[in-house]
């Protein structure tokens, strides 16, 4: 497994090894021991699977507030996404900064630490995204910040021109009105 630290503290790009032959491939996408050897020690408790029928479907920017904050391990099973995270941990040297990565079915995964807004846009129709989380979902702790807020300056690319949104995402709070519940822990 290859683990690469990204520019936002705690965010990592994880690429499991693939073993291929004429039948296809095999890959261990999650191995507790290998993850721990690479400093990733989260007790994942739930797997979530989202399916988006249309290219340009936006999901985010979502978060779960403490004490239900979630670390996520995100991967794409079919299709592709542009996945974006925003550091909203008070006291973080990266506070307010974002990065985006392309994920597709080739197997790379994005580790999103607690204290980040998270969202993605589908780049292809019929996209399946699977992600592990280390805390159970809580409706009371669920929050959302407007995905295309100009204060964040995220370039979602051409797929965003005709974005498909849920009511939750369409009516999300502006970044300027967002009061972060997260604190950076070095």
């Amino acid at each position: 497994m290859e683990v690469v630290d990204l520019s936002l503290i705690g965010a990592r790009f994880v690429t499991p090894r693939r073993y291929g032959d004429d039948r296809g491939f095999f890959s261990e996408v999650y191995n507790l021991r290998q993850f721990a050897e690479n400093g990733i020690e989260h007790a994942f408790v739930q797997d979530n699977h989202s399916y988006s029928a249309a290219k340009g479907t936006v999901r985010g920017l979502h978060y779960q507030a403490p004490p239900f904050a979630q670390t996520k391990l995100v991967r794409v099973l079919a299709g592709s996404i542009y996945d974006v995270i925003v550091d909203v941990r008070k006291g973080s040297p990266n506070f307010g900064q974002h990065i985006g990565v392309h994920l597709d079915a080739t197997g790379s995964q994005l580790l999103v630490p607690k204290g980040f807004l998270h969202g993605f846009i589908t780049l292809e129709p019929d996209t399946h995204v699977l992600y592990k989380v280390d805390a159970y979902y809580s409706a009371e702790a669920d929050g959302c910040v407007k995905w295309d807020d100009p204060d964040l300056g995220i370039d979602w690319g051409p797929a965003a021109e005709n974005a498909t949104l849920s009511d939750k995402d369409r009516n999300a709070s502006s970044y300027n009105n967002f009061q972060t519940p997260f604190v950076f822990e070095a």
Side-chain angles (χ1 to χ4, degrees):
M1 153 183 331
E2 179 184 5
V3 178
V4 176
D5 291 327
L6 298 175
S7 61
L8 301 181
I9 297 169
R12 302 174 95 183
F13 205 60
V14 179
T15 306
R17 288 187 59 193
R18 283 190 171 192
Y19 304 92
D21 59 26
D22 58 343
R23 300 168 296 166
F25 71 86
F26 171 82
S27 181
E28 285 184 354
V29 297
Y30 178 75
N31 178 304
L32 179 66
R33 183 178 31 225
Q34 286 183 4
F35 271 64
E37 289 169 358
N38 283 282
I40 302 171
E41 300 186 52
H42 302 281
F44 293 111
V45 298
Q46 181 176 311
D47 283 357
N48 300 324
H49 182 167
S50 77
Y51 166 73
S52 300
K55 174 182 177 179
T57 299
V58 171
R59 295 180 187 267
L61 297 165
H62 300 158
Y63 66 92
Q64 285 275 291
F68 301 99
Q70 297 175 328
T71 296
K72 298 177 181 176
L73 183 63
V74 183
R75 67 187 294 256
V76 172
L77 301 175
S80 62
I81 63 174
Y82 182 62
D83 201 324
V84 174
I85 59 175
V86 182
D87 187 344
V88 291
R89 300 170 295 179
K90 290 179 203 167
S92 168
N94 304 125
F95 184 82
Q97 295 178 23
H98 70 273
I99 58 170
V101 299
H102 287 90
L103 295 175
D104 59 26
T106 58
S108 292
Q109 302 173 86
L110 177 63
L111 182 74
V112 183
K114 292 175 174 71
F116 282 72
L117 303 176
H118 174 250
F120 62 83
I121 186 166
T122 58
L123 302 176
E124 299 178 47
D126 298 318
T127 294
H128 290 262
V129 177
L130 182 71
Y131 55 99
K132 294 182 166 309
V133 294
D134 68 349
Y136 296 106
Y137 173 80
S138 167
E140 296 78 33
D142 192 44
C144 187
V145 171
K146 193 164 180 58
W147 69 284
D148 61 349
D149 191 300
D151 288 335
L152 292 171
I154 299 168
D155 180 0
W156 291 92
E161 291 177 17
N162 298 307
T164 301
L165 302 166
S166 68
D167 287 341
K168 170 185 170 178
D169 293 338
R170 190 175 294 106
N171 299 315
S173 146
S174 70
Y175 182 66
N176 195 37
N177 289 332
F178 170 64
Q179 298 296 313
T180 185
F182 301 103
V183 176
F184 179 70
E185 298 175 19

